[in-house]
Amino acid sequence: PHLPYERPPLSKEAMASDAPEIKAIASDAILAEKSIRHVHSVQAVTIDRAAHAVRLSDGSVLPYDKLLLATGSTPRKLPMPGLGAHCVYLRTFADALAIRAHLTPGNRIAIIGGGFIGLELAAAARKLGADVTVIEAQPRILMRGVPAEIAEIIHDTHVAEGVDILCGDGIASIADDGRQVRTTLAGGREIVADLAIIGIGAVPVTGLAAEAGLTIDNGIAVDAELRSSDPDIFAAGDCCSFPLAVYGGRRVRLEAWRNAQEQGALAARNMLGAG
């Protein structure tokens, strides 16, 4: 329902502020000035590659010469029974508002996952006076994100701010009784929280592309110009995997704001024939 907006602030500024706001990428006026039509509150239902058309949930059809899929990713779900309304994920502005309401002095917040999202939320929660425990199954935080030396500095900074970080221990069970969430670790320790925020990675949104018969390989598979297996369909951002020369052409998928921004611009140029 909203204008396109920045997601990174949802785990940072939007959490730490008294009144979270959407950071829109552009206003309605700027979009109109650039001759960009913004269609909101509808979903793309199917891609008809033969007809070069996208069918929308309101019954309308959008024809295309070139099509860009920038469907992003969604939070990876914790595959365990016992999750309830107090076990939440962060992806949208609505999610941010719901989480922010719980970040109050004395409230107990359990964060499952010691990656960027989890640690940013931990910092915001501590700033607002909540008690925070971070649970990370890997031997250290930011295992995929940064080298051990940097992770150690970040770990120590969080601990100094009052965050309890538990690494190297998996979750045996989780139970949300409607009032609080009890997380039992494999080692036997129990963490009781008023809210459990799950941040264990993301999965690319590829359903529309898969149903259209496009090649999927850890995301929508694209070439170096971001072109999918259909020469008239491109993909960019979290939803696509692309060959990276520095890794000998191995396919990579990057869940990062900068990558999405730069790939969006690259896809636009190549859709216009820049090669």
Side-chain angles (χ1 to χ4, degrees):
H2 307 292
L3 281 165
Y5 59 88
E6 308 278 10
R7 292 193 194 274
L10 297 182
S11 54
K12 297 188 275 285
E13 295 98 314
M15 284 296 150
S17 70
D18 291 331
E21 292 183 351
I22 282 179
K23 185 181 178 185
I25 292 166
S27 66
D28 282 317
I30 289 173
L31 292 174
E33 180 188 317
K34 302 290 184 185
S35 299
I36 297 169
R37 179 183 168 210
H38 173 221
V39 182
H40 60 85
S41 305
V42 294
Q43 286 185 305
V45 177
T46 56
I47 299 168
D48 186 337
R49 289 166 55 190
H52 276 61
V54 178
R55 302 188 185 281
L56 305 183
S57 57
D58 63 0
S60 62
V61 175
L62 285 176
Y64 67 84
D65 295 307
K66 303 290 182 186
L67 172 66
L68 173 64
L69 298 176
T71 46
S73 58
T74 55
R76 187 181 301 280
K77 297 295 189 282
L78 187 65
M80 301 186 78
L83 276 65
H86 289 82
C87 300
V88 299
Y89 301 86
L90 174 62
R91 180 61 183 170
T92 67
F93 183 66
D95 295 337
L97 289 179
I99 291 171
R100 175 64 182 81
H102 289 271
L103 304 187
T104 54
N107 248 18
R108 300 161 300 175
I109 307 298
I111 296 175
I112 299 171
F116 289 114
I117 295 287
L119 294 171
E120 287 165 4
L121 287 170
R126 281 300 299 141
K127 183 177 179 180
L128 294 165
D131 297 327
V132 181
T133 302
V134 173
I135 302 165
E136 172 53 64
Q138 299 286 343
R140 65 168 174 86
I141 61 169
L142 296 170
M143 198 78 180
R144 291 191 308 139
V146 302
E149 296 84 351
I150 296 175
E152 184 178 356
I153 294 168
I154 296 170
H155 180 283
D156 292 346
T157 301
H158 277 274
V159 170
E161 292 289 344
V163 178
D164 190 9
I165 298 180
L166 309 176
C167 291
D169 204 350
I171 296 174
S173 67
I174 188 166
D176 180 352
D177 66 7
R179 293 181 299 107
Q180 55 191 16
V181 182
R182 292 181 180 275
T183 303
T184 304
L185 304 184
R189 180 169 174 178
E190 185 178 72
I191 310 299
V192 181
D194 300 293
L195 185 74
I197 307 170
I198 301 164
I200 55 172
V203 293
V205 177
T206 60
L208 198 63
E211 287 166 15
L214 301 180
T215 301
I216 308 296
D217 182 0
N218 183 31
I220 303 166
V222 297
D223 63 15
E225 294 181 7
L226 303 180
R227 187 180 280 104
S228 75
S229 52
D230 182 316
D232 291 329
I233 302 178
F234 293 69
D238 292 21
C239 69
C240 77
S241 65
F242 55 94
L244 207 54
V246 72
Y247 291 144
R250 182 164 64 85
R251 221 162 246 297
V252 173
R253 191 171 61 81
L254 287 176
E255 300 159 6
W257 173 89
R258 173 59 65 85
N259 177 66
Q261 183 187 46
E262 295 190 354
Q263 283 194 339
L266 177 64
R269 290 197 297 274
N270 287 333
M271 290 165 79
L272 294 170

